[in-house]
């Protein structure tokens, strides 16, 4: 009989916190011990996350009792996890899973990069996990099998569009409804912050610097999901590429190779990544679709 895990969430009021609460409440081997929020302390969880109505009568707390949990999820804004962990006295054996970007690039050697399809064995034995970024997850899953076979060469062109929840709960000039609706725009072309973690993972498998990523991120006029299309020159046939991808992901239950051209609604509200391959005149096209709040964040965590 598996032992129940006592989980706690620090920063549970945002989008990723709400998704994580729902997942943990419905997990048969998890007891949700407490959910922290400074701004909503004392409120019922479902007052902030109405989709939890009828699922729990828990309230947010402003107390951080680490001794009452086995696993701590940090759903804080970028840059806030580092000082929290520096100040906290954590019990021995407490596992920490951080959803921010604070530890993704290996500056702290205690943290393992938490992409299961790349580092599953290390993750299972680590007590500190840095959860990957959402764009990074979609793009890495599209390219890892090629990197594992040293088949990434030359220019890799990436176009990926994300839903508005990827920017977090607090409205900004480019996330509020009246701007985002019926609109699309490119932002941070070639310079997106997720590029460093993507390249670090690919180099972990290929490591010869023989490729260059050209990444154009787009803001979409929808709420959730990431739809990425990538293409590069290849010497592989479609059959060779498909066999490579099927072999790489055969033991990873959330990544699926689709024989048909996928669309975003195939993955929204799931923890799946759907991939599709197409070869044309020496070019390989890879389509990758995920839910940015689940496989791209809370589901993966």
């Amino acid at each position: 009989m598996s032992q129940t895990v006592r989980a706690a969430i620090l920063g549970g009021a945002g989008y990723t916190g709400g998704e994580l609460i729902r997942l943990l409440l419905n997990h048969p081997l998890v007891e949700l011990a407490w959910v922290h929020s400074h701004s909503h302390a004392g409120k019922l969880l479902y007052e902030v996350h109405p989709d939890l109505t009828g699922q729990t009568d828990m309230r947010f707390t402003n107390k951080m009792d680490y001794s009452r949990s086995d696993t701590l999820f940090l759903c804080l804004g970028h840059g806030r996890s580092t000082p929290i962990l520096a100040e906290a006295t954590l019990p021995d054996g407490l596992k920490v899973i951080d959803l921010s970007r604070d530890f993704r690039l290996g500056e702290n050697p205690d943290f393992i990069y938490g992409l299961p399809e790349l580092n599953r064995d290390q993750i299972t034995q680590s007590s500190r996990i840095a959860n990957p970024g959402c764009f990074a997850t979609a793009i890495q899953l599209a390219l890892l099998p090629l990197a594992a076979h040293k088949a990434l060469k030359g220019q890799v062109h990436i176009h990926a569009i994300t839903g508005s929840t990827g920017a977090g709960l607090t409205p900004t000039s480019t996330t509020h409804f009246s701007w985002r609706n019926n609109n699309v725009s490119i932002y941070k072309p070639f310079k997106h912050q997720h590029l460093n973690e993507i390249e670090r993972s690919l180099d972990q498998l290929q490591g010869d610097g023989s490729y260059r990523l050209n990444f154009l991120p787009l803001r979409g006029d929808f709420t959730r999901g990431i739809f990425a299309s990538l293409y590069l020159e290849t010497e592989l046939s479609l059959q060779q590429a498909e066999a490579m991808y099927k072999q790489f992901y055969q033991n990873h239950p959330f990544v699926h190779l689709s024989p048909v051209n996928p669309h975003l609604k195939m993955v929204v509200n799931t923890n799946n990544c759907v991939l599709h391959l197409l070869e044309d005149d020496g070019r390989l096209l890879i389509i990758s679709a995920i839910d940015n709040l689940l496989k791209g964040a809370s589901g993966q965590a």
Side-chain angles (χ1 to χ4, degrees), residues 93-104:
L94 178 69
K95 292 184 180 294
V96 176
I97 302 174
D98 180 43
L99 278 75
S100 79
R101 72 169 72 108
D102 287 22
F103 304 106
R104 291 174 184 165

Side-chain angles (χ1 to χ4, degrees), residues 36-291:
H36 175 274
S37 171
H38 277 304
S39 57
H40 296 289
K43 288 184 179 179
L44 291 159
L45 299 187
Y46 63 76
E47 290 183 84
V48 177
H49 302 295
D51 59 307
L52 299 177
T53 300
Q55 296 193 46
T56 180
D57 291 321
M58 287 184 66
R59 295 179 182 270
F60 288 101
T61 180
N62 59 5
K63 295 181 173 63
M64 296 174 280
D65 186 355
Y66 301 117
S67 66
R68 293 176 50 214
S69 59
D70 307 307
T71 299
L72 175 66
F73 293 89
L74 302 180
C75 295
L76 303 167
H78 300 306
R80 293 178 58 198
S81 295
T82 301
I84 286 285
L85 292 181
E87 297 168 5
T89 301
L90 302 180
D92 292 341
L94 178 69
K95 292 184 180 294
V96 176
I97 302 174
D98 180 43
L99 278 75
S100 79
R101 72 169 72 108
D102 287 22
F103 304 106
R104 291 174 184 165
L105 297 181
E107 297 94 334
N108 186 324
D110 293 334
F111 276 80
I112 293 295
Y113 187 68
L115 189 69
E117 293 80 9
L118 178 66
N119 290 329
R120 181 166 58 190
D121 292 342
Q122 298 96 308
I123 290 167
T124 61
Q125 299 180 38
S126 175
S127 61
R128 299 289 184 269
I129 310 296
N131 207 53
C134 50
F135 266 138
T137 295
I139 293 167
Q140 287 173 102
L141 293 177
L143 296 177
L144 287 178
L146 296 174
H149 287 80
K150 307 293 190 291
L152 278 178
K153 305 292 180 184
Q155 304 292 322
V156 182
H157 303 281
I158 307 167
H159 295 74
I161 187 167
T162 185
S164 58
T165 52
L169 185 63
T170 304
T172 69
S173 61
T174 58
T175 61
H176 64 77
F177 178 80
S178 59
W179 188 91
R180 198 93 176 205
N181 189 47
N182 296 323
N183 201 6
V184 67
S185 66
I186 289 178
Y187 72 110
K188 299 180 182 177
F190 307 119
K191 302 293 184 183
H192 196 275
Q193 64 271 14
H194 286 184
L195 273 172
N196 288 336
E197 62 181 285
I198 296 168
E199 291 170 346
R200 190 166 178 264
S201 294
L202 297 177
D203 287 346
Q204 183 176 326
L205 295 179
Q206 179 157 325
D208 61 7
S210 60
Y211 64 91
R212 179 176 181 178
L213 304 182
N214 303 299
F215 179 27
L216 296 179
L218 290 88
R219 304 181 182 97
D221 66 342
F222 49 92
T223 301
R224 59 195 296 166
I226 288 177
F227 193 85
S229 59
L230 309 87
Y231 67 93
L232 68 157
E233 293 186 357
T234 185
E235 297 177 356
L236 298 169
S237 68
L238 179 60
Q239 291 74 22
Q240 289 172 323
E242 287 180 337
M244 185 182 296
Y245 276 69
K246 289 176 181 177
Q247 187 275 331
F248 189 89
Y249 290 120
Q250 63 182 342
N251 296 317
H252 296 286
F254 294 117
V255 183
H256 307 279
L257 193 62
S258 171
V260 298
N261 192 348
H263 54 82
L264 193 56
K265 286 185 177 181
M266 291 171 63
V267 296
V268 170
N269 295 318
T270 80
N271 199 54
N272 293 328
C273 173
V274 170
L275 301 173
H276 176 69
L277 306 180
L278 186 148
E279 190 276 333
D280 180 79
D281 194 23
R283 294 169 297 182
L284 181 66
L285 171 68
I286 310 120
I287 296 172
S288 175
I290 66 169
D291 184 313

